[in-house]
Amino acid sequence: MKAPTRDTRRCALQAIYQLDLVGDRDIEAIRASLAESPGGETEHEAGLALARAAWANREKADAAVRPLAPEWPTHRQPAIDRGILRLAWHEMTTGLTPPKLAINEAIELAREFSTDRSPAFINGVLDRIFKALPAGGS
């Protein structure tokens, strides 16, 4: 399987942000909100599928992040950063994307959509997750 494109990740981030706010009770509204997002219908559907898969594993992702950022528990993280971490963790741990690529893409999403401090925070957390993966993440 091919790693998601940047447009697919942008859609996934938009969808996972909405899932974090309202849950998965109205997937059709989330799908409709992607109409103005980058890419076409293929990227939108792939992004929604990626977001739903990452959302389904959010508790595992949060558990992996928790000891690496004790001063920023999940509930205190900005929703966009939480979504980026969950998305990248999912990509890294499922083999969907090479871990270094997933980290780089997460940092780019943070630069585009979050605060000035977020890229460094996300990089630090994901790098430590990468180093803890079997065989150093390779």
Side-chain angles (χ1 to χ4, degrees), residues 64-132:
V65 170
R66 191 172 299 116
L68 304 177
E71 68 285 358
W72 284 102
T74 304
H75 71 277
R76 288 192 59 215
Q77 294 167 8
I80 198 76
D81 291 0
R82 189 169 50 239
I84 292 169
L85 288 169
R86 288 170 172 169
L87 189 60
W89 180 89
H90 174 74
E91 286 190 68
M92 292 168 67
T93 60
T94 61
L96 183 61
T97 304
K100 290 181 181 182
L101 176 60
I103 293 168
N104 184 59
E105 290 292 320
I107 293 166
E108 291 303 316
L109 286 172
R111 283 187 181 125
E112 187 173 352
F113 296 108
S114 198
T115 69
D116 291 342
R117 291 181 163 178
S118 293
F121 170 71
I122 287 169
N123 182 43
V125 170
L126 293 177
D127 184 59
R128 291 174 67 193
I129 288 172
F130 168 71
K131 289 176 180 170

Side-chain angles (χ1 to χ4, degrees), residues 37-57:
S37 295
E41 188 174 336
T42 300
E43 289 81 12
H44 299 170
E45 286 301 317
L48 182 57
L50 179 58
R52 291 181 80 183
W55 179 251
N57 287 309

